[in-house]
Amino acid sequence: MPRLICSIAPAMFLFVLGATWPAYVQACADGPDYYDVTDVLENDHLNVRSGPGTGFGVVGVLPPNATALENLDQVPITCDDASNLNQFERGNYWTKIAWKSGNALIVGWVKTKFLTE
């Protein structure tokens, strides 16, 4: 009987891994395709930066009513588990966006707290 368990256990492990792995990878990659700007005062703008942080230069600005910002990337990457982040990282999410207005295309990073689905 122990020999049977030893031969079934690896097969069960692979079955469970195969059944759950695609769902986990999918969940980690999920997110809205587009965002709108939120919580920016009417007479202000949202800076778009060349990298995910205020130490990066401003490459463009978004009006407070900008919509349809394409979601290109986010940092930190947590897959919905922020328990491994320090206090600074938990409050410091950035999203890489692309936004087209007329013939202009702005691509860069914005603070995620100013985005809504």
Side-chain angles (χ1 to χ4, degrees), residues 24 27-28 76-86 89-90 93:
Y24 176 77
C28 188
I77 299 171
T78 62
C79 298
D80 300 324
D81 178 16
S83 64
N84 62 333
L85 302 177
N86 63 40
E89 291 170 326
R90 277 193 290 273
Y93 287 87

Side-chain angles (χ1 to χ4, degrees), residues 45-51 53 56-63 69 94-99 106-111:
H45 61 267
L46 179 59
N47 288 330
V48 181
R49 298 185 175 273
S50 61
F56 292 90
V58 175
V59 296
V61 295
L62 301 175
L69 285 68
W94 289 81
T95 300
K96 187 174 185 180
I97 57 95
W99 185 68
I106 298 175
V107 177
W109 294 85
V110 297
K111 187 91 168 168

